[in-house]
Amino acid sequence: PMVFPSSMVRLEGPSQAVNISASVAAMESDRNMRIGYISGRKMRSMIRMKQIGRREFIKKSIGFAGGVSVMSITGASLASCSGQPPFKISLAEWSLHRALRAGEVEHLNFASIARNEFGLDAIEYVNGFFFDKAEDQSYLKEMKSRADSEGVKSLLIMCDSEGNLGDPDGEARQQAVENHHKLVMAAKYLGCHSIRVNARSEGSWEEQMKLAADGLRTLTEFGDEYGINVIVENHGGLSSNGLWLSGVIEKVDHPRCGTLPDFGNFKLGEDEWYDRYKGISELMPYAKAVSAKSHDFDSDGNEINTDYFRMMQIVLDAGYNGYVGIEYEGNNLSEMEGIRATKKLLERLQNNIG
């Protein structure tokens, strides 16, 4: 196992602050959870302040000459005032899963592809594409070196096939937690802020919530030692129910445990879907990353399954202005074309939303 000196251990997270005044900055700064522990109750109070009172607070804090009131100010419009885009764009490695599996693309070239093919400066890894290398120090060193040489940030590792963190069997659940340890350490070494995990379990609604929260809390406490967040994606089953997953995060009650809301993963079962806009609204208060799932586009370049404008407005209204990861999963366009189409759509939103 890799051991990291204490000087390397620092708390990191995606910046969420909107720099408009000292008061607003103070409200936003704690979202990073960079220093110390903040209780779940206090964190939820802060989230509610941002979600419910943010606009009113800004209205009262900012006055325009002539007594003109501020009718609507969002995170996007505040960002535009500072000359910064309302959110940033990253690339999820899953967008290239067919090419990677076919051997047409090498995992080690992912950072180069993101930078040189798409002009992106941040990436999200999938553990399945270096599954047997997660503890290989020389391989991780090469991953880090290639990303650094391209000026590309490594944001997170999406983790699958490491066991069920909500397994009803206590020993199996603990083993699943321990299976993720190597990925926490790899994430720290690569400079990521999070690992993305699944909250898979069995049993009733309440039983699964209790079991998933138990496994997540244990893993999150380990991640906290390395300054790494543990974030859960809506990824099938009950985890695709926004109310259930938000309840799990509440039950974990740790500032380093959050969500990675995915625009498309809301399939509960055969022909049963959870409302994606409701789900994103429920998951965004806990979000430390966002996944822009895409499949197909119309002649105007809009995604036909998801209203991206509506979805990104929900994201920004939650106070999020970090990276939004492109995750193309369609079949009608090639993976390269699908990534470009998604990027073009997100860039259009960067310039027009707010």
Side-chain angles (χ1 to χ4, degrees):
M2 294 174 288
V3 178
F4 300 94
S6 58
S7 61
M8 290 181 61
V9 179
R10 62 188 187 282
L11 305 187
E12 296 182 337
S15 174
Q16 302 299 323
V18 177
N19 185 18
I20 187 164
S21 69
S23 297
V24 177
M27 286 171 57
E28 297 286 326
S29 64
D30 281 343
R31 181 166 174 80
N32 290 317
M33 307 306 176
R34 292 179 184 273
I35 302 175
Y37 178 84
I38 299 175
S39 71
R41 181 172 298 171
K42 182 177 180 182
M43 178 177 67
R44 291 191 292 274
S45 176
M46 290 158 47
I47 290 168
R48 284 193 294 271
M49 182 184 296
K50 286 191 290 183
Q51 282 196 303
I52 299 170
R54 195 166 187 262
R55 286 194 178 95
E56 285 303 314
F57 180 88
I58 294 170
K59 286 179 185 179
K60 294 176 182 178
S61 300
I62 305 172
F64 286 170
V68 178
S69 63
V70 180
M71 297 304 294
S72 177
I73 298 180
T74 65
S77 56
L78 292 176
S80 66
C81 289
S82 67
Q84 299 297 317
F87 61 91
K88 295 168 281 189
I89 304 173
S90 55
L91 180 61
E93 192 171 19
W94 185 252
S95 296
L96 295 165
H97 69 276
R98 291 196 297 272
L100 284 156
R101 287 173 174 173
E104 299 167 0
V105 168
E106 290 187 24
H107 168 73
L108 286 173
N109 291 332
F110 178 42
S112 175
I113 291 170
R115 171 62 79 182
N116 298 305
E117 291 289 337
F118 305 110
L120 296 172
D121 68 353
I123 53 178
E124 303 165 14
Y125 299 108
V126 174
N127 73 318
F129 299 122
F130 63 106
F131 197 81
D132 59 346
K133 303 287 188 181
E135 295 179 281
D136 186 328
Q137 184 67 43
S138 62
Y139 190 85
L140 294 175
K141 183 177 181 181
E142 184 65 18
M143 284 176 62
K144 180 173 173 57
S145 174
R146 295 203 186 191
D148 290 347
S149 68
E150 297 289 348
V152 171
K153 304 179 188 70
S154 297
L155 299 180
L156 57 89
I157 303 174
M158 296 186 179
C159 307
D160 300 296
S161 304
E162 296 290 358
N164 297 336
L165 291 171
D167 199 300
D169 181 273
E171 290 185 6
R173 188 165 66 254
Q174 180 59 33
Q175 185 61 58
V177 169
E178 293 176 9
N179 290 346
H180 285 83
H181 285 182
K182 60 183 178 290
L183 293 160
V184 168
M185 293 187 283
K188 166 51 69 176
Y189 179 77
L190 293 170
C192 301
H193 61 70
S194 302
I195 63 168
R196 189 278 282 151
V197 302
N198 299 301
R200 192 170 292 110
S201 187
E202 298 175 25
S204 68
W205 171 291
E206 293 79 10
E207 289 169 341
Q208 291 194 53
M209 182 178 288
K210 179 180 178 181
L211 292 167
D214 179 72
L216 285 167
R217 175 77 194 201
T218 304
L219 178 58
T220 300
E221 288 173 349
F222 179 83
D224 192 33
E225 297 176 16
Y226 291 85
I228 296 296
N229 301 314
V230 174
I231 59 179
V232 189
E233 181 180 354
N234 47 304
H235 213 193
L238 274 180
S239 76
S240 290
N241 183 308
L243 184 61
W244 181 84
L245 184 51
S246 60
V248 170
I249 304 303
E250 287 277 323
K251 199 170 187 66
V252 174
D253 194 19
H254 195 293
R256 284 209 173 274
C257 187
T259 60
L260 190 162
D262 181 293
F263 290 178
N265 286 350
F266 285 101
K267 188 172 184 178
L268 299 171
E270 193 67 29
D271 299 324
E272 184 183 3
W273 289 80
Y274 196 78
D275 183 277
R276 66 187 63 199
Y277 307 101
K278 181 176 184 288
I280 293 295
S281 296
E282 290 166 336
L283 298 178
M284 276 310 302
Y286 314 93
K288 298 181 184 295
V290 173
S291 188
K293 179 65 62 62
S294 61
H295 289 90
D296 296 297
F297 302 83
D298 63 19
S299 59
D300 294 322
N302 296 310
E303 217 286 337
I304 64 174
N305 302 289
T306 300
D307 181 339
Y308 261 54
F309 183 92
R310 179 180 175 187
M311 198 66 90
M312 284 305 305
Q313 197 67 64
I314 294 170
V315 169
L316 297 174
D317 282 349
Y320 184 89
N321 64 353
Y323 281 96
V324 174
I326 296 170
E327 192 171 60
Y328 175 69
E329 203 177 52
N331 296 310
N332 292 325
L333 296 176
S334 71
E335 289 180 321
M336 292 293 196
E337 291 171 336
I339 293 168
R340 289 191 180 94
T342 310
K343 179 173 182 276
K344 186 176 181 179
L345 175 54
L346 288 171
E347 287 175 334
R348 179 148 51 93
L349 289 169
Q350 280 182 321
N351 295 323
N352 294 287
I353 200 167

